[in-house]
Amino acid sequence: MARHLITSAIPYINGIKHLGNLVGSQLPADLYARYLRQRGHEVLFLCATDEHGTPAELAAAKAGKPVAEYCAEMHDVQAEIADGFGLSFDHFGRSSSPQNHALTQAFAGRLNALDLIREVTEEQVYSHTDGRFLPDRYIEGTCPNCGFESARGDQCDNCTKQLDPTDLIAPHSTISGATDLEVRETKHLYLRQSVMKDQIEEWIDTRQGWPILTTSIAKKWLTDGDGLQDRGITRDLDWGIPVKNGDQDWPGMEGKVFYVWFDAPIEYIACAQEWQDVGKGADWERWWRTDKGADDVTYTQFMGKDNVPFHTLSFPATILGSQQPWKLVDYIKSFNYLNYDGGQFSTSRGRGVFMDQALEILPADVWRWWLLSHAPESSDAEFTWQAFQTDVNKDLADVLGNFVSRITKFCRSKFSEAVPDGSYGPAEKALIADLTGKVAQYQAHMDAIEVRKSAAALRAIWVAGNEYLQAEAPWSTIKEDPEKAAAQVRLGLNLIRLYGILSAPFIPTMSRTMLDAMQTDDAWPDDVATALETLKPGDAFTVPDNLFSKINDDQREDWAGRFAGTRD
């Protein structure tokens, strides 16, 4: 038994996440966590809500609530939806927790003591109407390069030119629309990443087998232009972790908070403390400190490609820079984007299908299967309602669901609701040999966290059973050789058990339905031949309701219309 620490990118608090967010981090992380637990490993799977920064303040203001109250409510909403999708977090924490406050301040104090933090005086846009400094993304105006009227203070989305707020023509605050903006001086703390460039690059080179997507993004940031730059770790905001030097005040930093991208990754560690403090676990340091036993932990992170720079550079700079025995990530599984019906999913624009909406129209397992089997690993992927309907009907209803329904109902009608007696013949033994190889392939892909290949391998296992059933046709065999038909049915029932076990990481609810129907355990099939003898003649089973309903054309057209615009 090995020990595995798993974290998925923590979702931002300002609203319910869309399906692209889900498949880019939380869902594949859950797939891997569930698989490792099935194989007998010790797993700690952590996630949390990312609660600080200007977007949280604006979302709370829009909702007419104090920001702390808004974040508490949205944490509960996101936790409930995560549970609805079967995400098996050991703990779902909050970046606003007291544990993260203390740990973030402690890291800052440690880094400062090691001369890895410097104070910088810089110019930033201040809005008199809003009474605050404005982050670049909350300033809009006309692009001086292409004339686009909604260019942001950091970039024009039309021509992609990088901008400064002072470059914009007729800039205004996106918070209030105010134009009474001025440039003021302000002081901030910067993490001196530049002096750690060689150390971080050397560390990245020691990571084995990272996806090309992960390493290419990290190397690009290390080498492009002037290379790795120092990064601001404070902001002029009210909501966040107050800037302190350990547990001491930081002169000149009064009224400032740590930048969300400094404190959010530290929440991965703090989340384990929360897990212990709420009584779900014990000895959290054995997962996070190598001097407390974490040297034998394999730590895997899951995230979308937009999060890679912070997890390959900034967070490691924090950990390495502290010169303390914290556990560093071993493997970063990154994903490209899932696009939506010819465009992009967008939380800010409310475009696409969101997690709560998805659960309203279909069971979680349907979404889990389609999203994971189309995970955007090597390139961006595309969600279309036509492809979704076709794949769900084929894979889940026609292949898996149909197999379970046919074999259980046939057995009940021709034998009983108990496993019939019959010895496996050449066809059964050939299938068992074929499945032995297919299960080994499935395990290899799951071990390597190759999500789409794992789904394809699992689908092939389902298909093999269907092809066997079609070829052997027990409904015809029983007319001439009832004992042979009994053997075919006995194998079919054992296949349902095998499918229930192997499918659990992908479709946990339907997996449990299959295993409950077969009234059996869920021990992993280390030996496929033995596993397919588990259900003995006379063992009782029940006939489950149809596992999956087909999506009809009317439903598809209705959903495509409902989700064509933007969410309120």
Side-chain angles (χ1 to χ4, degrees):
M1 183 177 72
R3 299 174 60 218
H4 288 267
L5 174 63
I6 299 172
T7 61
S8 62
I10 62 178
Y12 204 70
I13 197 70
N14 64 333
I16 295 166
K17 303 298 106 175
H18 56 65
L19 296 182
N21 295 134
L22 178 64
V23 76
S25 58
Q26 293 177 326
L27 189 53
D30 180 72
L31 176 80
Y32 190 51
R34 285 179 175 275
Y35 169 72
L36 291 175
R37 292 189 192 110
Q38 278 190 285
R39 300 305 305 274
H41 301 304
E42 186 181 4
V43 174
L44 182 60
F45 178 24
L46 301 173
C47 192
T49 39
D50 183 0
E51 300 187 9
H52 296 137
T54 304
E57 293 184 338
L58 297 182
K62 183 178 180 180
K65 296 178 179 179
V67 64
E69 178 184 331
Y70 171 82
C71 288
E73 290 181 4
M74 282 308 303
H75 171 269
D76 291 345
V77 168
Q78 292 200 18
E80 182 179 358
I81 293 173
D83 185 63
F85 270 96
L87 302 179
S88 59
F89 304 127
D90 289 291
H91 185 64
F92 187 63
R94 302 181 61 186
S95 70
S96 62
S97 69
Q99 293 87 344
N100 197 39
H101 275 237
L103 194 57
T104 298
Q105 291 164 344
F107 267 113
R110 176 71 178 176
L111 293 167
N112 185 56
L114 294 170
D115 196 29
L116 288 173
I117 288 179
R118 63 185 178 95
E119 189 174 293
V120 176
T121 298
E122 59 187 19
E123 293 185 334
Q124 193 172 341
V125 175
Y126 183 86
S127 167
H128 290 276
T129 298
D130 297 310
R132 65 188 297 168
F133 285 98
L134 297 178
D136 293 350
R137 61 178 294 193
Y138 288 99
I139 306 165
E140 285 189 359
T142 300
C143 175
N145 184 55
C146 70
F148 182 58
E149 294 183 351
S150 296
R152 296 197 312 264
D154 57 352
Q155 179 177 313
C156 175
D157 287 340
N158 185 57
C159 69
T160 73
K161 183 177 178 60
Q162 299 292 308
L163 299 170
D164 288 321
T166 52
D167 296 331
L168 295 174
I169 300 168
H172 64 271
S173 164
T174 61
I175 300 173
S176 63
T179 58
D180 55 345
L181 310 181
E182 70 166 287
V183 176
R184 286 187 178 180
E185 284 191 348
T186 184
K187 290 182 179 180
H188 283 293
L189 301 179
Y190 273 62
L191 178 61
R192 299 180 64 202
Q193 296 184 150
S194 59
V195 302
M196 297 186 64
K197 175 185 177 296
D198 292 342
Q199 185 180 2
I200 292 173
E201 187 167 21
E202 181 180 348
W203 170 74
I204 289 173
D205 289 340
T206 67
R207 305 297 94 178
Q208 298 298 313
W210 278 11
I212 293 174
L213 179 63
T214 302
T215 53
S216 63
I217 292 174
K219 294 286 188 180
K220 179 180 175 67
W221 277 62
L222 282 167
T223 58
D224 272 14
D226 296 324
L228 187 61
Q229 298 295 298
D230 296 347
R231 189 169 195 88
I233 62 168
T234 59
R235 286 293 185 268
D236 289 294
L237 297 172
D238 295 325
W239 175 244
I241 297 176
V243 176
K244 287 193 173 185
N245 188 353
D247 59 358
Q248 303 296 313
D249 291 336
W250 203 311
M253 292 294 119
E254 296 82 3
K256 299 179 189 291
V257 299
F258 285 108
Y259 180 32
V260 63
W261 268 112
F262 181 68
D263 81 76
I266 295 172
E267 167 59 18
Y268 294 139
I269 305 174
C271 190
Q273 292 180 276
E274 298 169 44
W275 164 75
Q276 174 179 300
D277 291 347
V278 298
K280 293 180 180 178
D283 200 13
W284 72 269
E285 289 183 312
R286 68 188 284 266
W287 291 97
W288 274 109
R289 289 187 65 97
T290 57
D291 60 339
K292 302 288 187 179
D295 52 342
D296 67 350
V297 169
T298 299
Y299 177 22
T300 306
Q301 295 176 344
F302 290 78
M303 70 197 63
K305 61 185 177 183
D306 54 328
N307 284 330
V308 169
F310 296 102
H311 289 78
T312 56
L313 305 171
S314 297
F315 188 36
T318 299
I319 299 294
L320 289 167
S322 75
Q323 298 181 18
Q324 294 173 322
W326 295 105
K327 175 66 185 176
L328 284 151
V329 66
D330 295 294
Y331 189 81
I332 297 179
K333 178 69 176 181
S334 56
F335 292 85
N336 291 281
Y337 295 139
L338 177 69
N339 294 319
Y340 177 74
D341 235 357
Q344 289 185 328
F345 279 97
S346 173
T347 299
S348 61
R349 294 176 176 85
R351 187 176 192 277
V353 185
F354 288 73
M355 290 172 67
D356 59 336
Q357 297 169 327
L359 292 176
E360 288 172 4
I361 62 176
L362 285 169
D365 279 0
V366 174
W367 295 106
R368 287 178 65 104
W369 172 254
W370 193 91
L371 291 169
L372 289 167
S373 62
H374 293 76
E377 289 175 291
S378 59
S379 62
D380 289 352
E382 177 89 2
F383 176 93
T384 68
W385 286 103
Q386 182 63 64
F388 179 69
Q389 177 193 25
T390 299
D391 295 337
V392 166
N393 289 351
K394 179 183 63 176
D395 296 343
L396 297 181
D398 288 344
V399 178
L400 179 60
N402 186 52
F403 180 87
V404 173
S405 179
R406 290 176 78 184
I407 201 69
T408 54
K409 290 178 179 178
F410 178 74
C411 185
R412 179 175 61 185
S413 67
K414 299 300 182 181
F415 296 98
S416 68
E417 288 190 33
V419 179
D421 197 359
S423 300
Y424 294 162
E428 290 70 47
K429 292 176 181 177
L431 176 62
I432 291 170
D434 179 49
L435 287 175
T436 297
K438 284 182 165 60
V439 170
Q441 287 181 325
Y442 174 62
Q443 290 178 180
H445 292 314
M446 289 290 279
D447 288 335
I449 324 179
E450 297 170 332
V451 178
R452 291 181 75 148
K453 289 181 179 179
S454 296
L458 180 59
R459 185 191 297 112
I461 293 169
W462 296 344
V463 167
N466 267 272
E467 291 177 343
Y468 163 81
L469 201 62
Q470 284 297 106
E472 297 305 308
W475 43 87
S476 298
T477 307
I478 197 169
K479 300 173 184 177
E480 305 294 333
D481 192 341
E483 184 178 348
K484 184 177 181 181
Q488 294 165 350
V489 170
R490 180 163 77 89
L491 180 58
L493 294 172
N494 273 286
L495 281 171
I496 294 173
R497 175 181 178 273
L498 181 72
Y499 292 170
I501 296 168
L502 297 178
S503 305
F506 283 89
I507 49 172
T509 301
M510 288 300 104
S511 165
R512 177 44 52 192
T513 298
M514 286 186 274
L515 293 173
D516 287 347
M518 295 302 102
Q519 302 179 26
T520 184
D521 61 49
D522 58 356
W524 189 264
D526 293 313
D527 181 271
V528 174
T530 301
L532 291 174
E533 296 275 5
T534 301
L535 300 181
K536 306 297 183 184
D539 286 350
F541 71 91
T542 58
V543 177
D545 294 333
N546 286 342
L547 300 183
F548 300 99
S549 299
K550 284 195 171 186
I551 298 171
N552 61 47
D553 291 345
D554 289 341
Q555 288 175 307
R556 185 200 71 222
E557 291 171 5
D558 174 52
W559 296 335
R562 280 173 59 186
F563 302 111
T566 59
R567 182 184 182 122
D568 293 335

